[in-house]
Amino acid sequence: MLHRAQFILLCAALLGNMSIKEASAESRIVKSTVYHEWYDGRPDYCGGIYRDNKVSAAHPWLPCGTRVNVQYKGRSLIVPITDRCECDSIDLSYRAAKILGVPVDGIARVHIHY
């Protein structure tokens, strides 16, 4: 599976653009929620098993395996996307939320880079 940057480079090459540059990363401020403990041990969208004690996240459209840099109040963490959510935000695992200091029982605004 191609990541977004690889796809852009491939398209540029196919279109004959010989001055290929690395695609720039995108950045957004989004709402962040935390998985409910009920999901622990259940299958995720990408074929794995969700675990509260692992660093992971769900996102509505980023591809499985995308590594997202999540920042909250001066803390930063690289989080892999392993699931889908029906939200317009990022849904962090319990462990990722605790490391970042995101409230586990509410909503926070985080900065994501992907």
Side-chain angles (χ1 to χ4, degrees):
M1 176 177 283
L2 290 177
H3 288 284
R4 180 175 162 61
Q6 292 170 321
F7 178 75
I8 291 170
L9 291 173
L10 178 61
C11 289
L14 291 174
L15 292 173
N17 181 355
M18 294 310 187
S19 61
I20 298 173
K21 296 181 181 177
E22 184 65 33
S24 60
E26 292 192 37
S27 176
R28 294 181 183 199
I29 296 175
V30 298
K31 291 186 304 184
S32 171
T33 55
V34 179
Y35 274 90
H36 190 276
E37 62 189 26
W38 178 84
Y39 289 103
D40 191 45
R42 297 184 181 274
D44 61 30
Y45 179 84
C46 299
I49 301 295
Y50 170 74
R51 295 289 180 205
D52 280 339
N53 62 350
K54 301 282 186 186
V55 172
S56 65
H59 192 274
W61 51 267
L62 285 173
C64 293
T66 301
R67 296 171 57 80
V68 178
N69 183 350
V70 182
Q71 297 175 344
Y72 181 71
K73 293 189 176 181
R75 294 183 182 179
S76 180
L77 182 65
I78 303 295
V79 180
I81 300 299
T82 60
D83 205 358
R84 290 279 177 260
C85 59
E86 296 178 12
C87 51
D88 59 349
S89 63
I90 191 166
D91 201 7
L92 298 171
S93 68
Y94 180 82
R95 175 128 173 97
K98 291 300 278 184
I99 291 170
L100 287 166
V102 171
V104 296
D105 59 352
I107 297 172
R109 295 183 61 75
V110 298
H111 199 162
I112 62 171
H113 303 274
Y114 50 93

